[in-house]
Amino acid sequence: MNAEFASLHRKYMGEALREARSALDAGDVPVGAVVVCDGKIIGRGHNQRELLHDPTAHAEMIAITAAASEKSDWRLEDCEIYVTLEPCPMCASAIQQARIKTLVYGAFDRGMGACDSDLHLVTNAKFGRVVEVIAPVMEEECAELLLEFFSKARKDRG
């Protein structure tokens, strides 16, 4: 990856991290996402499952919905999505369904990851459109927020 792309990836992942911090501050698993089109962020999201009492309120789903609304089109073929954590099967499928061309994520999710860790949904044409995957980007920073959240959750449980 050349320096220019690396710099852009860090810039947009930094924005996704801001979203993840919003989730952390609200007491939700700190995952954030941004959708970028032509160098402009057109969708943002962070986990809001606890706030909305909605199991589908993942960062990616919220960011994709916002981007589709901004474009007035569900087809996000000319867009990239930046996510702080490797997407789960639901979100990986939504990324494919939205026809997003590139997924950039920070930390691997060895438990629920559906892009590299266990399943390979977004890169398997059998499941839909093949999505370019770039990872990890700012893995340490992304993982740090998750560790902070789960460490606090364990302490709170006793």
Side-chain angles (χ1 to χ4, degrees):
M1 179 180 346
N2 73 32
E4 181 182 344
F5 280 120
S7 176
L8 280 175
H9 292 326
R10 289 185 62 76
K11 171 186 172 181
Y12 294 124
M13 189 60 73
E15 291 297 320
L17 275 164
R18 284 181 223 244
E19 290 294 323
R21 283 188 191 93
S22 294
L24 180 67
D25 292 345
D28 214 321
V29 178
V31 178
V34 296
V35 176
V36 177
C37 186
D38 297 325
K40 178 183 174 205
I41 295 174
I42 62 167
R44 294 177 171 273
H46 57 272
N47 275 1
Q48 296 184 45
R49 293 182 310 167
E50 299 299 329
L51 174 69
L52 300 176
H53 310 289
D54 179 354
T56 68
H58 288 204
E60 299 95 324
M61 303 297 273
I62 293 167
I64 289 168
T65 299
S69 179
E70 176 69 21
K71 283 190 74 166
S72 298
D73 191 350
W74 62 269
R75 295 168 196 86
L76 303 175
E77 296 166 327
D78 52 349
C79 298
E80 302 89 34
I81 188 166
Y82 290 78
V83 188
T84 58
L85 181 65
E86 179 182 359
C88 71
M90 175 182 69
C91 294
S93 293
I95 289 166
Q96 282 181 312
Q97 290 299 311
R99 300 182 180 174
I100 292 173
K101 69 176 180 178
T102 305
L103 160 66
V104 182
Y105 69 85
F108 293 96
D109 185 347
R110 304 287 184 220
M112 289 293 296
C115 302
D116 282 321
S117 293
D118 190 22
L119 298 173
H120 299 272
L121 294 179
V122 298
T123 57
N124 188 331
K126 175 181 175 183
F127 299 115
R129 182 179 202 89
V130 173
V131 177
E132 175 188 24
V133 177
I134 299 170
V137 172
M138 298 177 67
E139 180 180 19
E140 208 171 286
E141 295 91 328
C142 294
E144 201 172 278
L145 280 179
L146 292 160
L147 289 171
E148 180 181 338
F149 175 83
F150 287 110
S151 175
K152 183 182 181 319
R154 279 191 292 277
K155 284 180 190 171
D156 290 348
R157 281 187 288 196

